[in-house]
Amino acid sequence: IHSESNIAVNNADPTRIVAASNNISGSGRQKIFFSGDGGASWNSTELPLADGARFDSDPSVAWAPDGTAWSATLGIDLSGGVKVQVFKSTTQGATWTFVKTVSTGTNNDKELMWIDTDPSSPHRGNIYVAWDEVGNRMRFARSTDNGATWWAVTTPPSHRAVGTAPPTGHAGARDAAWGAGTSPPLEALTDST
């Protein structure tokens, strides 16, 4: 019943862990698991359905430097809409609030989230979400103010893409790599802005 799982440890407090998985044949809402003792015990909850979604898919989770847990999901509606949506928890994963639909459309796929937690980074706390548009190129969105507002979705020059993770390195450089079909088989992007 659970699939496409994702997990994140709070670097500032490693006893705090959140994980997420699809729950498509259950309630349809993204399942969230959370632990406050380093994984020795777990509780669970579900994201609320938001902005017209009938079920969620492709979970991703991350922790912000301030201890807020974040999750991204694809909110899918009955008309075929596939929205990239973000949620947050200020209760270490126990309860969740819908924050924003980052992208609408019908071909969004496999969104993943990353938050810059490096204490020396000039972009510390920035939230990044990356996904592919089926049969097309990668898409990126970011928030530089703890999710209050989101920059316009950008599309880097690339070939077709399938899924990526947008980690940040030292000094805040964003790096991403993704499978790009058969030619070339892998592409990468680095951006320090």
Side-chain angles (χ1 to χ4, degrees):
I1 190 170
H2 303 297
S3 61
E4 298 191 71
S5 301
N6 192 250
I7 190 167
V9 175
N10 183 345
N11 290 333
D13 180 0
T15 64
R16 299 288 180 184
I17 307 170
V18 291
S21 69
N22 286 339
N23 191 20
I24 293 171
S25 61
S27 69
R29 300 181 339 172
Q30 181 176 296
K31 194 78 168 180
I32 298 283
F33 305 91
F34 56 99
S35 174
D37 56 13
S41 63
W42 292 86
N43 291 298
S44 66
T45 189
E46 295 177 338
L47 291 183
L49 291 174
D51 201 16
R54 295 301 299 262
F55 67 94
D56 297 323
S57 183
D58 294 1
S60 182
V61 288
W63 289 92
D66 67 359
T68 301
W70 285 83
S71 182
T73 190
L74 296 178
I76 302 170
D77 64 42
L78 292 180
S79 65
V82 182
K83 301 171 183 176
V84 178
Q85 299 180 326
V86 292
F87 298 78
K88 71 177 181 179
S89 171
T90 58
T91 58
Q92 291 79 44
T95 58
W96 292 81
T97 304
F98 172 69
V99 174
K100 175 83 174 171
T101 291
V102 176
S103 176
T104 59
T106 58
N107 291 321
N108 292 318
D109 187 35
K110 202 56 186 170
E111 91 304 327
L112 289 171
M113 172 179 277
W114 181 265
I115 301 176
D116 189 339
T117 60
D118 188 329
S120 64
S121 171
H123 306 297
R124 186 171 190 256
N126 283 4
I127 305 168
Y128 304 98
V129 180
W131 65 97
D132 64 274
E133 189 175 271
V134 176
N136 211 329
R137 298 182 292 176
M138 293 307 306
R139 304 286 189 258
F140 292 89
R142 68 177 163 179
S143 173
T144 58
D145 57 6
N146 299 313
T149 60
W150 290 79
W151 293 38
V153 173
T154 59
T155 304
S158 68
H159 295 87
R160 289 182 307 147
V162 180
T164 188
T168 50
H170 295 294
R174 292 190 320 264
D175 300 299
W178 55 86
T182 57
S183 179
L186 184 68
E187 290 191 353
L189 171 73
T190 298
D191 176 21
S192 60
T193 59

